Amino acid sequence: MAVEDTGTAGEAVNAETAAAVGDVEGVEAQARSYPVAPGYRLNVRSGPGTNYRLVRVLAAGSSVRVYCQTRGESVSGPYGTSNIWNNIANGEFVSDTFVKTGSDGFIAPPCA
């Protein structure tokens, strides 16, 4: 199951996220889909840390679009240890250590 924003609801989320980072066209152009680490179900949180409310759980084999990134709680996962969290929808964050972005640093604009 690929988790991607599409259609009208996705456009609303994209616009909100873009407004948050201050660059609607730039965020749309840069939001790419990345796979979640193989074999992992991924907790989606309402903020950048495990102490934030659990919003949903992504199925193993999912992909996510990363709209912006922010620093938060440091977490260890299959791709190392990091305090970078990926914003995948309005009010939804996942630890970068469970997403194969190909980088140990930021791959998207900072969240406002």
Side-chain angles (χ1 to χ4, degrees), residues 12 52 104:
Y52 286 87
D104 289 336

Side-chain angles (χ1 to χ4, degrees), residues 53-65:
R53 180 178 56 84
L54 180 65
V55 175
R56 61 186 168 127
V57 178
L58 301 178
S62 295
S63 293
V64 295
R65 293 196 77 164

Side-chain angles (χ1 to χ4, degrees), residues 2 33 35-36 81 99 105 107 110:
S33 186
V36 171
T81 300
V99 180
I107 50 87

